[in-house]
């Protein structure tokens, strides 16, 4: 007797998936951030060298330089810049959607220029006066509020500055911290009126400081003090950025590349769907449903990760479709073999699903290991490919294994497919009699 409730559950699940995907897939796709090879822009790989004899390029100095570069990129209005450390002395800068690349290059390659000025824009301290890596983020011992500790090379300079500030009226008792102050263009008087001023901080001096160490306190969050300390250290350690490699992609070229890649992807996926429907019949329909769900889930997870989609990432997504199909094919072929051996449809489904699992696991685990190696040792494009591949494999395991078995199992357990071996791509003449 056919159990119609299971068939109804199948169509209900498919209807929910179809409604969810059709109403949200375009929004999810539009929210995914595109790499510079898809929307245009440029990337530069810099080698970081000390600007002065005796300076040391360590991880602390590299992190400080990255913070200073991020601060400069904000001036360009770039959304989601990608600036990261590679190796012991290299920094890769990726800026997508930048129109004026010449200005961006000049801005990035200039040494960090940190100054502390008064309200009249007179220089009190510059980066050369700060001790290397002398700024740090910590907490006030009494209030436990986030603060920044600042160390100068000369204690007398700190005493003189603090004494001078205390002698001024409260409105003038401010140490204004700037990064890349432009003479004749920037001024405290104008920036103080803005909601988001260009200067980094304006601290009040509360007492004469007799040591070379001072604390900057205020209504800071921990992240703000960490950023401020890193920028201070970048100003204390001017570095030379030597360009080792650059790659520029025009906006129109990036758009064309994306259109062609997506078009090729649609053709490839359509051919896979057609093959599965032709060769596996009813099981092919299940595969088309699970593969469509797989593509949607990959895009959804990638968007949740706030990751950047690149051309290699799209290639990894399409490769993931092949991996998901492979898992389906392994399972379906095992089921067909069990049917040919003379087992019933229900017995063949259970045995084929169970015996195919170890093979699928082995294939997925080895591919994940290879992708992990690519991510660990590869450059940005290779890492993007690896991340998308790992996400694709994990998602395909859920959809192609569990999703496919759930949907096919509803039909098999409903008994509607009993003795209908042709729906599984097996002719009656191929079945061995027990």
């Amino acid at each position: 007797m056919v159990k119609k409730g299971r068939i109804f559950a199948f169509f209900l699940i498919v209807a929910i998936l179809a409604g969810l995907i059709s109403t949200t897939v375009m929004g999810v796709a539009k929210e995914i951030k595109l790499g510079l090879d898809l929307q245009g822009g440029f990337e530069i790989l810099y080698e970081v060298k000390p600007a002065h004899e005796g300076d040391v390029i360590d991880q602390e100095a590299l992190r400080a330089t990255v913070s200073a570069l991020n601060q400069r990129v904000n001036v360009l209005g770039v959304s989601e810049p990608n600036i990261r450390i590679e190796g012991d002395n290299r920094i890769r800068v990726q800026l997508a959607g930048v129109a004026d690349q010449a200005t961006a290059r000049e801005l990035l390659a200039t040494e960090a220029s940190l100054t502390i000025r008064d309200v009249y824009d007179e220089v009190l301290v510059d980066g050369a006066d700060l001790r290397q890596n002398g700024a740090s983020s910590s907490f006030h011992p009494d209030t436990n509020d986030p603060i920044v500790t600042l160390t100068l090379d000369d204690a007398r300079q700190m005493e003189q500055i603090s004494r001078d500030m205390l002698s001024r009226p409260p409105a003038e008792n401010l140490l204004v911290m700037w990064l890349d102050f432009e003479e004749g263009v920037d001024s405290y008087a104008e920036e103080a009126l803005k909601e988001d001023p260009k200067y980094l901080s304006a601290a009040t001096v509360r007492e004469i400081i007799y040591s070379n160490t001072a604390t900057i306190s205020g209504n800071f969050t921990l992240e703000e003090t960490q950023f401020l300390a890193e920028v201070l250290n970048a100003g204390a350690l001017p570095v030379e950025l030597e360009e080792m490699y650059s790659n520029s992609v025009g906006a129109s070229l990036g758009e064309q590349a994306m259109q062609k890649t997506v078009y090729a992807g649609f053709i490839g996926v359509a051919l896979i769907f057609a093959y599965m429907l032709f060769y596996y019949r009813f099981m092919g329909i299940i595969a088309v449903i699970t593969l469509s769900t797989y593509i949607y889930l990959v895009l959804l997870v990638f968007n949740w990760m706030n990751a950047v989609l690149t051309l290699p990432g799209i290639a990894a997504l399409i490769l993931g479709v092949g991996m998901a199909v492979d898992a389906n094919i392994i399972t379906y072929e095992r089921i067909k073999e069990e049917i040919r051996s003379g087992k019933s449809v229900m017995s063949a489904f259970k045995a084929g699903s169970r015996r195919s699992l170890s093979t699928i696991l082995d294939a997925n685990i080895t591919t994940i290991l290879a992708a992990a190696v690519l991510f660990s040792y590869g450059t940005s494009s290779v890492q993007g490919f690896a991340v998308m591949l790992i996400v694709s494999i994990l998602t395909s395991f859920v959809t192609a294994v569990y999703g496919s078995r759930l949907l096919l199992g509803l039909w098999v357990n409903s008994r509607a497919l009993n003795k209908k071996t042709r729906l599984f791509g097996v002719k009656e003449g191929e079945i061995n009699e027990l």
Side-chain angles (χ1 to χ4, degrees), residues 339-361:
I339 292 176
R340 291 190 184 102
S341 68
K343 291 183 178 179
S344 66
V345 169
M346 185 175 295
S347 297
F349 168 73
K350 292 179 179 179
S353 299
R354 183 180 66 254
R355 294 176 179 176
S356 64
L357 182 60
S358 60
T359 304
I360 296 172
L361 274 175

Side-chain angles (χ1 to χ4, degrees), residues 22-70:
S22 62
T23 56
T24 61
V25 66
M26 294 306 297
V28 172
K30 288 180 180 178
E31 289 180 1
I32 294 178
K33 300 176 180 63
L34 302 180
L36 62 89
D37 55 355
L38 294 178
Q39 64 169 311
F42 75 100
E43 70 172 338
I44 304 176
L45 179 63
Y46 288 114
E47 181 177 358
V48 183
K49 296 182 177 181
H52 304 111
E53 186 177 352
D55 289 338
V56 178
I57 303 298
D58 53 14
Q59 287 298 310
E60 183 69 26
L62 291 173
R63 284 193 293 269
T65 305
V66 168
S67 293
L69 291 176
N70 269 306

Side-chain angles (χ1 to χ4, degrees), residues 201-271:
S201 174
T204 301
V205 177
R206 304 188 184 280
E207 60 184 10
I208 298 176
I209 303 170
Y210 293 99
S211 68
N212 63 341
T213 301
T215 59
I216 303 173
S217 60
N219 191 22
F220 294 128
T221 64
L222 179 60
E223 290 76 16
E224 288 172 339
T225 57
Q226 290 173 341
F227 169 75
L228 192 56
E230 289 177 348
V231 172
L232 284 167
N233 286 331
L237 179 63
V239 296
E240 291 182 357
L241 299 178
E242 180 178 331
E243 185 175 318
M244 301 184 62
Y245 161 84
S246 65
N247 179 36
S248 177
V249 179
S252 59
L253 182 61
E255 185 177 354
Q256 291 175 8
M258 181 164 182
Q259 289 176 349
K260 291 181 179 179
T261 304
V262 172
Y263 181 69
F266 274 125
I267 293 177
V269 172
L271 290 175

Side-chain angles (χ1 to χ4, degrees), residues 1-29:
M1 180 178 178
V2 176
K3 298 179 180 179
K4 296 182 179 180
R6 296 182 183 273
I7 299 176
F8 174 78
F10 170 85
F11 284 110
L12 179 62
I13 292 173
V14 172
I16 293 173
L17 289 174
L20 178 64
I21 294 173
S22 62
T23 56
T24 61
V25 66
M26 294 306 297
V28 172

Side-chain angles (χ1 to χ4, degrees), residues 30 33 57 72 79 92 101 108 110 128 150 168 178 236 240 258 295 300 304 327 374 376-377 394:
K30 288 180 180 178
K33 300 176 180 63
I57 303 298
R72 292 180 173 191
S79 60
R92 185 179 296 273
Q101 296 184 12
L108 289 170
T110 306
L150 177 65
R168 300 188 183 192
W178 295 83
E240 291 182 357
M258 181 164 182
I295 295 173
L300 189 63
W304 283 347
L374 289 176
S376 299
Y377 297 99
L394 295 177

Side-chain angles (χ1 to χ4, degrees), residues 149-432:
T149 303
L150 177 65
T151 304
L152 296 178
D153 283 329
D154 188 356
R156 291 173 298 178
Q157 185 181 13
M158 183 74 77
E159 179 184 352
Q160 182 178 351
I161 292 172
S162 60
R163 190 183 297 277
D164 177 53
M165 286 293 106
L166 284 173
S167 65
R168 300 188 183 192
E172 299 179 12
N173 180 11
L174 291 175
L175 297 178
V176 186
M177 197 174 305
W178 295 83
L179 184 67
D180 298 328
F181 180 91
E182 295 183 58
E183 297 287 351
V185 178
D186 296 326
S187 72
Y188 170 78
E190 292 182 3
E191 294 295 325
L193 300 176
K194 299 179 181 179
E195 183 178 350
D196 186 19
K198 180 180 177 181
Y199 57 80
L200 303 176
S201 174
T204 301
V205 177
R206 304 188 184 280
E207 60 184 10
I208 298 176
I209 303 170
Y210 293 99
S211 68
N212 63 341
T213 301
T215 59
I216 303 173
S217 60
N219 191 22
F220 294 128
T221 64
L222 179 60
E223 290 76 16
E224 288 172 339
T225 57
Q226 290 173 341
F227 169 75
L228 192 56
E230 289 177 348
V231 172
L232 284 167
N233 286 331
L237 179 63
V239 296
E240 291 182 357
L241 299 178
E242 180 178 331
E243 185 175 318
M244 301 184 62
Y245 161 84
S246 65
N247 179 36
S248 177
V249 179
S252 59
L253 182 61
E255 185 177 354
Q256 291 175 8
M258 181 164 182
Q259 289 176 349
K260 291 181 179 179
T261 304
V262 172
Y263 181 69
F266 274 125
I267 293 177
V269 172
L271 290 175
I272 291 174
F273 284 0
Y275 171 80
M276 295 299 291
L277 290 171
F278 174 77
Y279 195 75
Y280 291 102
R281 312 293 174 84
F282 182 77
M283 292 188 296
I285 297 175
I286 303 296
V288 169
I289 296 171
T290 56
L291 287 173
S292 301
T293 305
Y294 151 80
I295 295 173
Y296 171 75
L297 289 177
V298 169
L299 295 176
L300 189 63
V301 171
F302 209 68
N303 188 31
W304 283 347
M305 292 172 60
N306 202 31
V308 178
L309 184 62
T310 61
L311 281 175
I314 296 177
L317 173 61
I318 298 172
L319 177 62
V321 175
M323 294 291 294
V325 168
D326 184 58
N328 280 324
I329 289 175
I330 292 173
T331 302
Y332 296 165
E333 284 295 332
R334 291 295 302 180
I335 293 174
K336 290 173 67 173
E337 288 177 8
E338 298 294 337
I339 292 176
R340 291 190 184 102
S341 68
K343 291 183 178 179
S344 66
V345 169
M346 185 175 295
S347 297
F349 168 73
K350 292 179 179 179
S353 299
R354 183 180 66 254
R355 294 176 179 176
S356 64
L357 182 60
S358 60
T359 304
I360 296 172
L361 274 175
D362 290 343
N364 286 340
I365 290 174
T366 52
T367 307
I368 288 176
L369 290 175
V373 172
L374 289 176
F375 180 81
S376 299
Y377 297 99
T379 58
S380 56
S381 298
V382 176
Q383 287 179 331
F385 175 86
V387 170
M388 178 59 89
L389 185 58
I390 292 173
V391 171
S392 299
I393 292 172
L394 295 177
T395 307
S396 71
F397 188 82
V398 174
T399 57
V401 177
Y402 294 103
S404 180
R405 292 182 184 185
L406 170 64
L407 296 178
L408 185 58
L410 288 173
W411 276 94
V412 170
N413 292 320
S414 73
R415 304 182 187 279
L417 303 179
N418 286 356
K419 298 183 180 181
K420 297 178 180 178
T421 58
R422 284 185 174 273
L423 292 178
F424 292 85
V426 179
K427 297 179 181 179
E428 293 182 1
E430 299 174 346
I431 300 175
N432 297 326

